[in-house]
Amino acid sequence: MHFKFTEVFTQIKFVASFLLLTFSSLSSQDLDQHRWEQRVILIFGQPPKADLFQQQLKLLSSTTEKLDDRDLIIYRFFAGKGWGPDDNLLEMPRVEPIRSRYNPNKNDFQFVLIGKDGGVKLQSEQVVEMNQLFGLIDSMPMRRAEMRRNKKE
């Protein structure tokens, strides 16, 4: 009897590890596709801070040309659902790994900027003003190189 319990427990641990790796890789697949090509903004919101979520989206939507110029794309997560850069609804297995990696404390509002190298460049529980965002990005070495290349063209 003891042997069977140990065997079952080992199988459960194996399945749990497999599922964890699978969900982690789904999160990586979604965001890794943008590495070296685009900077990613993740915005997380919950009903208690819906006003901050909406305010951030409004600020971003008012600067689409500047977002495009800096190769920025936006993923939105609200009340357990997620939307990709093209406003496509993300499948649930893709939402939770991203949320648990980039908003592990389940803050009611969280803004995350991920650089082209895949590293987190900014995290804030407050609305990020566009001059702060663009100033930060424009100070990055990769962005400065892009601006120099664009000047030559």
Side-chain angles (χ1 to χ4, degrees):
M1 181 72 171
H2 181 333
F3 175 75
K4 286 188 176 189
F5 175 76
T6 304
E7 188 176 303
V8 169
F9 184 71
T10 302
Q11 288 175 349
I12 290 171
K13 283 188 346 185
F14 173 76
V15 170
S17 297
F18 174 76
L19 289 173
L20 182 63
L21 286 172
T22 300
F23 287 145
S24 295
S25 69
L26 286 174
S27 151
S28 297
Q29 288 172 0
D30 281 335
L31 300 181
D32 280 350
Q33 68 182 330
H34 305 296
R35 189 173 292 201
W36 306 117
E37 300 294 323
Q38 296 157 315
R39 295 172 182 91
V40 178
I41 293 174
L42 306 175
I43 305 172
F44 299 91
Q46 291 296 328
K49 299 270 177 105
D51 57 329
L52 295 179
F53 185 83
Q54 290 299 325
Q55 185 180 350
Q56 187 70 70
L57 289 177
K58 186 176 180 180
L59 285 172
L60 290 165
S61 67
S62 70
T63 59
T64 54
E65 188 175 307
K66 291 181 179 183
L67 295 173
D68 291 342
D69 184 50
R70 289 164 179 83
D71 300 323
L72 281 160
I73 59 166
I74 303 167
Y75 281 80
R76 299 170 291 132
F77 301 90
F78 190 80
K81 293 184 179 179
W83 294 267
D86 297 324
D87 288 331
N88 53 325
L89 186 63
L90 300 175
E91 296 172 13
M92 286 310 293
R94 287 181 155 73
V95 172
E96 184 55 27
I98 294 171
R99 191 221 41 87
S100 64
R101 180 171 179 186
Y102 295 102
N103 189 17
N105 298 328
K106 297 183 180 181
N107 296 324
D108 289 336
F109 177 80
Q110 181 83 11
F111 179 99
V112 180
L113 170 65
I114 301 172
K116 285 187 174 184
D117 64 356
V120 173
K121 306 303 181 189
L122 173 67
Q123 283 187 289
S124 177
E125 294 178 32
Q126 302 298 318
V127 170
V128 175
E129 295 296 328
M130 296 301 91
N131 59 353
Q132 177 190 359
L133 176 65
F134 297 144
L136 173 64
I137 292 170
D138 291 349
S139 71
M140 295 176 182
M142 193 176 298
R143 172 65 179 152
R144 290 197 323 253
E146 292 168 1
M147 291 187 296
R148 282 191 303 271
R149 275 194 306 274
N150 290 341
K151 250 185 198 178
K152 290 178 184 177
E153 293 174 359

